[in-house]
Amino acid sequence: MKLDLELDDRIGGLITAFQNSPEKVDRATRRALKKLSRFAERHTLRALARQQGITQKTLKALGRVKVSLLKPGERGSEGYSLVVWIGASDLPAHYLGQPRQTTSGVKTGKHFWKGAFLMQPVNAPRPMVFRRKDNWQHQYQRSKKSGRMMWMGLPLEKQALPMLHNAIKVLEKLKPLLLERFTTLMQQELNFLWNEAFNI
């Protein structure tokens, strides 16, 4: 996500006052954007965790939210760019909380998977949540073991929580918040430099 920020008149006036000191304006911009990137990460994690019904800690541990500040010339950017990235592939159910088998399904955190069961695949470090597919058929495909074509497949599907829709909603709400926050931070940084320059 790339933001095109339009600065209000108050910031424009402060920047004009610093026209003869472009390095100071650049310093203020860098500091404001660093603070903005931390704000963006906190806000994105909080909003997405609330939407998905999981903890921020889980989202962070899975590396689903990353915010990076690109300097001019980095990855082809002309000026500073703030990139907010959300990994929007479905979240496997076993990451949403300690899986607990019940008579009618599996509970993971706040989520319940009706008709599901716990099973630990051979190469998995912990049990995962599966459910039988409703309309399942064998597929004619090549065996990885023998290399022959045969009818094969399992009538199971791993349960996961969709994320794409909520990720889009979070990013749409984030853009105006970031613009407002950047305006405030930039004004604070320029005011700080202004006061610093005249207190010497």
Side-chain angles (χ1 to χ4, degrees):
M1 180 174 132
K2 188 178 176 182
L3 291 178
D4 294 319
L5 302 174
E6 292 178 14
L7 306 179
D8 66 14
D9 294 336
R10 290 169 296 171
I11 291 177
L14 284 167
I15 288 175
T16 305
F18 279 109
Q19 272 182 342
N20 297 328
S21 321
E23 67 282 346
K24 288 196 175 186
V25 174
D26 190 54
R27 186 172 139 212
T29 305
R30 279 198 320 270
R31 286 171 54 155
L33 283 169
K34 278 182 186 175
K35 290 178 181 179
L36 185 68
S37 65
R38 290 193 294 269
F39 171 84
E41 185 177 25
R42 277 194 316 270
H43 191 278
T44 305
L45 279 169
R46 188 182 307 130
L48 197 57
R50 195 176 295 130
Q51 291 276 350
Q52 293 295 122
I54 57 174
T55 64
Q56 293 179 46
K57 187 178 177 181
T58 303
L59 279 174
K60 201 163 188 176
L62 294 172
R64 289 304 184 99
V65 175
K66 290 182 182 170
V67 178
S68 50
L69 179 61
L70 303 180
K71 295 173 184 172
E74 205 173 342
R75 291 192 216 162
S77 62
E78 289 179 21
Y80 288 100
S81 294
L82 184 67
V83 179
V84 179
W85 177 88
I86 296 178
S89 57
D90 296 351
L91 272 171
H94 59 277
Y95 285 126
L96 306 175
Q98 185 63 40
R100 192 164 45 86
Q101 185 73 57
T102 67
T103 52
S104 55
V106 175
K107 187 164 176 54
T108 55
K110 297 178 180 179
H111 304 276
F112 181 72
W113 310 90
K114 191 174 181 181
F117 57 91
L118 290 172
M119 182 179 81
Q120 185 165 353
V122 178
N123 59 348
R126 61 173 121 175
M128 296 180 180
V129 184
F130 289 90
R131 194 169 69 83
R132 287 193 177 279
K133 291 180 183 175
D134 294 330
N135 302 313
W136 177 79
Q137 293 179 338
H138 277 100
Q139 291 180 346
Y140 193 64
Q141 54 192 359
R142 189 172 302 281
S143 167
K144 288 181 182 175
K145 193 170 186 180
S146 68
R148 291 181 300 159
M149 293 298 288
M150 58 178 69
W151 290 98
M152 56 193 282
L154 284 173
L156 305 175
E157 59 184 356
K158 190 162 56 171
Q159 298 301 286
L161 186 67
M163 264 191 75
L164 181 61
H165 178 68
N166 285 336
I168 291 168
K169 274 170 50 177
V170 165
L171 286 177
E172 282 172 354
K173 288 181 181 177
L174 184 64
K175 189 171 180 176
L177 281 174
L178 288 182
L179 181 59
E180 185 182 325
R181 184 68 182 154
F182 178 72
T183 304
T184 304
L185 287 169
M186 193 65 185
Q187 188 177 0
Q188 287 171 357
E189 292 300 329
L190 288 170
N191 273 325
F192 173 75
L193 287 176
W194 177 270
N195 292 329
E196 187 182 59
F198 284 95
N199 285 337
I200 291 173

